[in-house]
Amino acid sequence: MTTNTNPLTLPSPSEQGGKHSLAPSSFDNLVVLANYEEHLREARKMVWRDRGEPAVEIHDLWECLEHGAGTLAFAIRSGVNLILLFARIRKVPRKTRISLMQHALFGPDSFRFGAMLGSFVALYRFLLNAFPLLFPANIPILLNLRNLTKRLTSASDFRHSAIDDSTPFSAERGSSPDDPPATLRMRAARLSSAAQAHQTWLHKRSARWHSIVAGAVAGGVAISFESLSRRKVVAQQLFVRGLQGSYNAYSEMHGFRVPHGDVLVFALSCAQIMYGFLLHPDTLPKSYISWINTAGQIPKEAVSINRDMIRTGAFNPVDLERILSRPDLHPENVTALEVWRSTQPPYCPCAGSHPHIASCTFTPIDRFFTVFRWTLPIYGALHVVPMLLFKRKAVARTPIPMAFRAGWGTMRSAAFLGVFVALYQGYFCAAQNAHRALARRPRIPQWLLAALVSKPSFWLDGLLSGLSVLIEAKHRRGELAMYVLPKGLESAWVAARGKGLVFRTGKHGSALLTAIGMGMVMSTYQNDPQHLSGFVRRILYQFIGPN
């Protein structure tokens, strides 16, 4: 006799003794199906945190250790590595593809990233939950320190002294005999479980120094798991995210707001970056210098000549010969370069920055369309791929409007970078043309001529070019500002360090910067999470939760 072993298959009446047993059998299958769906939901919670999850109540130090962090960092880093590999898989030899896939999935980068985030979350949650138990809010700090050793011997003491009765958590406890009858109490709003958990998370605030110290200690320790080459990049991003959240919280607390603050931050950062690119390339990473050269369509020799003339008043003849030997050099630019070599004004001739175009008026237009075509597929991927991954239902429901939205966003982003390059090139040519025109006039003061091609003029050029971010969508300006701010701060710090204005941080600089940044980030997340960017807030919620 065969037996039905599938728990989700409805048995036939003959198997259950006739039609009278059909109803109980169907009920049993519904129960099995419900249990199966519950198991699926529980499995999903192991890898993804639902919105509105209630905060964890901690009563003693042992529970702090029990609520350690399970992290998705390893899977996230492996997935990103695999996607990047697939993007260039056609250029990789077939015999090395399997080994590269294995390295992308199980390479040291994935383990380092997982160890970094896992150690941070575990240490942060332990410290944050332990501080209220070790230092209760309703007991003076000196008495806390005096009784600390006594309380460590008995875990039960923590249950009664951890939380002050005046804190918002006292509302969740049982009512006392002195409370008024339920009919006289203020009627509370009826909220869903998710909304109630969200309200609990927003109002469950600890002392601010708890999250600051916990975030700083956990961040300084966790960054040591990353490779030396990546520590600085990670530390810079965490630091500027901390600045962003702290500024938003402080400005709301004191009631002030800087109009177009994201545009101002972007423009100031671009000013320092472009100043460093042209005059102090040692203050920026080499990979970033190479990217600017490619995006700006500027010959490296022209940048080198301009830097040498501004800083030393001399140039390397080899750089000029390389420009003159270019096959696309316009004949009129050959004459302009030879005239410049005979007179040698204190700057690189703009003919060297656009060797294939003779007209300075037409050069910005050419730059715009060249950069626009170059960045269009790049920004297209940045707009389309996230939409397909995270907004699949909206795409399936309204495909045409979503496609139009992605296309319009791609056009704006490509136009933004094209206008940036065109503005910088136009200012560069305009300053030199103005210098040549005014130099022929005898009554023009020398300080004005010098100002047109001085070092600050290149900083001003970057500042004006940064205003091109106004073309971008408003919600993207802040993210672009957070992208360029670390590079601008790094360039300014290295330049100031070269002049002896700031100290050297040594090999522990990345850990120190990470500690400061995560102290600010976690203070904002724990007390004012709405002031962090949506991306950072969602990532922290998945790893930290409504602690």
Side-chain angles (χ1 to χ4, degrees):
M1 179 179 178
T2 61
T3 304
N4 188 357
T5 59
N6 189 349
L8 298 181
T9 303
L10 183 66
S12 63
S14 61
E15 293 175 343
Q16 297 295 328
K19 62 181 180 179
H20 297 289
S21 61
L22 180 60
S25 174
S26 300
F27 176 78
D28 292 340
N29 281 302
L30 288 176
V31 173
V32 172
L33 181 62
N35 291 334
Y36 178 73
E37 295 291 339
E38 183 66 24
H39 290 322
L40 286 181
R41 286 192 293 269
E42 293 297 327
R44 182 180 180 273
K45 290 181 180 179
M46 295 176 64
V47 296
W48 193 256
R49 194 186 304 274
D50 292 330
R51 294 184 60 186
E53 182 177 299
V56 177
E57 293 288 349
I58 303 296
H59 301 287
D60 54 53
L61 289 178
W62 291 111
E63 292 187 13
C64 294
L65 292 174
E66 292 172 0
H67 288 281
T71 179
L72 302 176
F74 179 87
I76 293 175
R77 182 59 185 267
S78 298
V80 171
N81 289 343
L82 196 62
I83 292 174
L84 294 177
L85 176 61
F86 284 155
R88 58 183 181 89
I89 195 69
R90 293 183 179 180
K91 301 179 181 179
V92 176
R94 291 181 178 272
K95 60 181 181 180
T96 61
R97 291 180 180 178
I98 300 299
S99 61
L100 288 177
M101 289 182 185
Q102 293 175 348
H103 184 271
L105 291 174
F106 306 106
D109 290 343
S110 300
F111 285 98
R112 285 181 177 274
F113 191 70
M116 180 185 68
L117 283 181
S119 61
F120 170 79
V121 175
L123 185 56
Y124 172 78
R125 295 190 68 173
F126 172 77
L127 293 176
L128 185 70
N129 292 321
F131 282 152
L133 305 177
L134 298 175
F135 307 101
N138 57 338
I139 300 178
I141 185 66
L142 294 178
L143 187 59
N144 276 326
L145 296 175
R146 190 179 306 148
N147 297 333
L148 179 60
T149 55
K150 297 180 181 179
R151 300 210 317 273
L152 287 176
T153 60
S154 177
S156 61
D157 293 342
F158 296 117
R159 297 182 180 272
H160 304 290
S161 60
I163 302 174
D164 185 10
D165 292 337
S166 62
T167 61
F169 306 110
S170 59
E172 300 178 6
R173 301 176 181 176
S175 57
S176 63
D178 297 333
D179 289 341
T183 56
L184 300 180
R185 295 175 190 165
M186 182 178 296
R187 187 185 181 110
R190 294 183 177 180
L191 301 176
S192 65
S193 58
Q196 183 65 42
H198 185 65
Q199 292 285 349
T200 302
W201 175 42
L202 288 180
H203 291 90
K204 187 175 180 179
R205 302 181 181 182
S206 60
R208 187 172 291 271
W209 72 268
H210 292 174
S211 53
I212 293 176
V213 175
V217 173
V221 173
I223 194 64
S224 62
F225 288 95
E226 264 292 358
S227 60
L228 292 174
S229 60
R230 285 187 51 80
R231 289 181 189 176
K232 183 170 68 173
V233 177
V234 174
Q236 289 174 349
Q237 278 296 323
L238 295 177
F239 180 72
V240 299
R241 294 295 179 176
L243 288 178
Q244 182 186 27
S246 300
Y247 165 77
N248 290 337
Y250 185 83
S251 61
E252 183 182 83
M253 181 186 304
H254 295 277
F256 74 92
R257 179 178 176 271
V258 179
H260 300 290
D262 47 4
V263 178
L264 181 61
V265 171
F266 183 85
L268 290 174
S269 301
C270 289
Q272 181 60 40
I273 290 173
M274 297 308 298
Y275 177 84
F277 166 72
L278 286 175
L279 300 180
H280 295 279
D282 55 309
T283 63
L284 292 171
K286 293 183 179 179
S287 59
Y288 203 65
I289 293 291
S290 177
W291 184 86
I292 295 176
N293 269 319
T294 304
Q297 308 292 316
I298 307 171
K300 297 180 181 179
E301 296 80 10
V303 177
S304 178
I305 291 174
N306 186 76
R307 179 175 62 252
D308 294 339
M309 292 299 297
I310 295 295
R311 297 180 62 179
T312 65
F315 71 97
N316 188 355
V318 177
D319 292 329
L320 182 60
E321 292 300 329
R322 288 177 179 174
I323 296 178
L324 290 172
S325 61
R326 288 174 62 102
D328 60 345
L329 183 62
H330 197 278
E332 294 184 14
N333 286 336
V334 174
T335 304
L337 290 172
E338 293 294 346
V339 171
W340 176 86
R341 175 152 52 180
S342 61
T343 57
Q344 290 192 13
Y347 51 79
C348 172
C350 56
S353 64
H354 49 84
H356 61 293
I357 300 175
S359 172
C360 290
T361 304
F362 182 73
T363 297
I365 301 175
D366 175 78
R367 286 282 194 272
F368 171 80
F369 285 105
T370 302
V371 175
F372 183 86
R373 289 193 301 267
W374 176 64
T375 58
L376 196 62
I378 299 175
Y379 281 118
L382 292 178
H383 283 272
V384 173
V385 173
M387 181 185 69
L388 296 178
L389 290 177
F390 303 111
K391 298 182 180 180
R392 295 188 300 271
K393 294 182 179 180
V395 172
R397 185 170 59 252
T398 56
I400 295 179
M402 293 299 292
F404 177 79
R405 180 179 179 181
W408 176 243
T410 301
M411 298 281 286
R412 292 182 67 171
S413 298
F416 141 71
L417 193 57
V419 171
F420 182 96
V421 175
L423 285 176
Y424 200 90
Q425 181 65 54
Y427 183 95
F428 185 80
C429 292
Q432 295 192 16
N433 289 327
H435 185 275
R436 286 192 293 267
L438 295 176
R440 303 188 188 101
R441 299 176 179 270
R443 297 183 180 180
I444 299 299
Q446 290 298 316
W447 65 265
L448 179 59
L449 293 176
L452 289 173
V453 291
S454 63
K455 292 182 179 180
S457 68
F458 297 100
W459 194 91
L460 180 61
D461 192 356
L463 181 69
L464 296 177
S465 301
L467 298 179
S468 60
V469 76
L470 291 169
I471 299 176
E472 266 286 12
K474 185 174 179 57
H475 69 275
R476 282 183 50 82
R477 296 172 190 170
E479 291 300 319
L480 289 172
M482 292 300 101
Y483 173 75
V484 298
L485 181 58
K487 302 302 181 184
L489 292 177
E490 179 184 6
S491 177
W493 179 272
V494 174
R497 189 180 61 191
K499 296 180 179 180
L501 300 178
V502 296
F503 57 90
R504 293 182 177 272
T505 56
K507 61 181 180 180
H508 301 296
S510 297
L512 177 62
L513 190 63
T514 303
I516 297 173
M518 289 311 298
M520 293 187 292
V521 169
M522 300 316 299
S523 172
T524 307
Y525 175 76
Q526 196 67 34
N527 298 278
D528 306 289
Q530 69 276 13
H531 294 309
L532 292 172
S533 67
F535 174 76
V536 175
R537 189 169 60 249
R538 286 190 293 268
I539 291 296
L540 288 176
Y541 180 76
Q542 289 304 318
F543 285 100
I544 305 294
N547 192 59

